Amino acid sequence: MFYYIAKVIVLVIIKVIFRIEVRGLENIPKKGPVIICPNHISLLDPPVIGALLNRRIYFMAKEELFKNPFLKLLLGTGLGAFPVKRGTADLSAIKTALSYLKKGRAIGIFPEGTRSKTGQLQKAEPGVAMLAIKGNAPVVPIGIKGKYRLFSKIIINIGKPITFEKYANFKLSSERLSAIGEEIMQEIAKLL
């Protein structure tokens, strides 16, 4: 219940503060497992994407945010976000993400692993590719264009889902995960 109340509040605020244009909302699957994959340019990306999309999204968020008791309660309990140790193969975060996908939920992952300070796309971390294959979930690339400044225009382009079933029976080598991550980033780049 809290998630949907927060979603409405955030939606009203962002529509007043920014001029947001969303394209491709029909590309978000209405049900079943899915990985939402936007580029990451601001701390505002998760609430904006969460408020605008037509599904509840369980975002993977850096573990440092969960050290603050208030943020832990807000993000974890209230919004369903879960922590990830960046720069490592965090098995706990992977298990949590896979459990959400097995339940047919939507998870949100910023494939770059961190915000881009320059706005330029960075290389994808291998986790998103591994989750797409192990979770048998399509990846929906999203390109966020613009700067979050008062009354500025933000364009959110949502691409068509990408599936990776063809890799299901292959060994998940670091090279293969890197190639899949690159494919995801190329799709995001097309949306920018």
Side-chain angles (χ1 to χ4, degrees), residues 2-22 25 44 46-55 79 156:
F2 176 81
Y3 180 89
Y4 297 102
I5 292 169
K7 182 174 178 151
V8 169
I9 292 169
V10 170
L11 196 54
V12 168
I13 292 170
I14 64 174
K15 287 196 173 196
V16 169
I17 295 177
F18 308 116
R19 293 179 304 126
I20 295 188
E21 183 179 332
V22 181
L25 200 54
L44 295 175
V48 167
I49 294 295
L52 291 171
L53 300 190
N54 53 7
R55 287 195 59 179
L79 300 176
I156 311 243

Side-chain angles (χ1 to χ4, degrees), residues 96-159:
T96 300
L98 286 173
S99 75
Y100 282 138
L101 292 171
K102 285 183 180 157
K103 292 175 186 170
R105 296 186 177 158
I107 62 168
I109 299 176
F110 295 100
E112 300 161 285
T114 189
R115 279 177 289 132
S116 171
K117 294 184 181 7
T118 65
Q120 298 296 312
L121 287 180
Q122 303 171 79
K123 185 178 176 211
E125 294 292 329
V128 66
M130 199 244 338
L131 288 171
I133 294 166
K134 294 277 189 192
N136 194 26
V139 171
V140 175
I142 298 178
I144 303 171
K145 294 190 326 186
K147 297 197 185 292
Y148 292 100
R149 294 196 176 115
L150 192 60
F151 307 126
S152 64
K153 185 165 189 168
I154 307 290
I155 298 173
I156 311 243
N157 288 317
I158 303 168

